[in-house]
Amino acid sequence: MRLILLGPPGTGKGTQAQRLSDRHGWPMLSSGHVLRTEIQANSEIGRKAAQYVSAGALVPDEVITGVMLAAVAKIKAGSGFILDGFPRTVPQAEALDEGLRAQTRPIQGVLDFQMGDDLIVKRIAGRRVCNRCGNTYNVEFLPPKAKDVCDRCGETLVQRVDDREDVVLTRLKTYRAQTAPLVEFYTRKGLLRRVDSSAAAPAVEAEVARILASLGEAG
Ligand code: AMP
């Protein structure tokens, strides 16, 4: 399936994207991971994006849209895919729509991850990421097998600079102002499905599986 995972930061989209990818073999594209990799490499895109990412603001639409559409175009024909963190604004969603229409592979479902802000702040405080493969963990809720070591690739885990509480609050505001309008955008297209992501990861995974089954039956 071709899916978008929507929702505020810290609601477990990355974790579920990874699980869906592992289970079905659909490649996942995480815009945040793509940008962090570019920033680490100090590429032209990385230099354009760095100040926005560290402040918890969105990078300009034209910067991220070009990168993500190029990445989607590289996914082989006939394969499903999962977009995590993109699109984040209505112009990005429109550009994605147009790009996918040209490739005759429209989005089939948009999962909207929901949980209260208190829990989001708590979960993000414990989040650790692998900058090499992009896998995410939580010291309390989803710890790695060995402390601070990525289960998947062995890299040392780190805390993201934008996971500091003051930046998180800015990111939540940014989400409400610029990304929340996508809920209506995709509701109008009949694609939006709500996911209560306040439960533990395996329960959320089961809910996502039920939703995908119903999307498959519908479409
Ligand atoms: P994330 O890992 O999805 O929380 O993204 C981390 C940061 O990367 C965000 O706070 C933004 O600064 C930037 N970013 C990620 N995806 C996008 C996007 N689709 N549009 C603009 N900025 C983005």
Side-chain angles (χ1 to χ4, degrees):
M1 290 205 91
R2 297 176 296 272
L3 299 171
I4 291 171
L5 306 195
L6 195 67
T11 47
K13 302 187 296 295
T15 300
Q16 296 301 329
Q18 191 65 63
R19 288 178 181 217
L20 280 172
S21 178
D22 290 347
R23 176 183 288 231
H24 299 282
W26 304 325
M28 67 175 268
L29 291 173
S30 153
S31 51
H33 180 60
V34 167
L35 289 172
R36 283 186 289 280
T37 305
E38 297 282 348
I39 291 169
Q40 253 184 340
N42 195 26
S43 69
E44 193 184 337
I45 287 166
R47 288 194 297 275
K48 280 185 190 155
Q51 54 173 328
Y52 298 99
V53 174
S54 59
L58 295 186
V59 308
D61 286 337
E62 61 279 11
V63 174
I64 189 70
T65 300
V67 184
M68 293 302 285
L69 287 184
V72 171
K74 281 194 196 131
I75 297 170
K76 71 174 190 297
S79 167
F81 56 79
I82 307 153
L83 300 180
D84 163 27
F86 176 84
R88 274 265 231 295
T89 65
V90 172
Q92 289 179 21
E94 286 168 343
L96 175 68
D97 245 24
E98 204 181 302
L100 292 180
R101 206 175 311 126
Q103 299 170 25
T104 55
R105 45 178 179 178
I107 292 297
Q108 294 162 294
V110 178
L111 307 185
D112 182 25
F113 284 65
Q114 297 285 327
M115 71 164 75
D117 284 2
D118 289 357
L119 188 54
I120 287 177
V121 170
K122 199 169 157 202
R123 286 221 186 153
I124 290 184
R127 176 155 68 182
R128 298 293 179 272
V129 300
C130 172
N131 272 340
R132 188 192 295 164
C133 74
N135 222 24
T136 59
Y137 301 84
N138 190 290
V139 291
E140 193 179 336
F141 303 106
L142 205 63
K145 291 194 184 93
K147 191 173 181 288
D148 292 336
V149 177
C150 180
D151 293 349
R152 197 171 277 270
C153 73
E155 181 81 0
T156 302
L157 302 176
V158 294
Q159 183 166 35
R160 285 168 45 175
V161 282
D162 59 341
D163 276 354
R164 282 195 352 242
E165 190 167 337
D166 53 333
V167 187
V168 170
L169 297 178
T170 306
R171 286 164 62 205
L172 284 173
K173 277 194 203 138
T174 304
Y175 178 83
R176 309 262 177 250
Q178 291 176 268
T179 308
L182 289 184
V183 169
E184 205 201 314
F185 182 92
Y186 287 117
T187 300
R188 265 191 275 120
K189 292 181 184 290
L191 293 174
L192 196 93
R193 300 291 184 278
R194 291 252 143 125
V195 178
D196 173 7
S197 55
S198 55
V204 177
E205 191 179 355
E207 190 185 347
V208 167
R210 277 195 298 277
I211 293 171
L212 292 199
S214 75
L215 278 170
E217 281 160 17

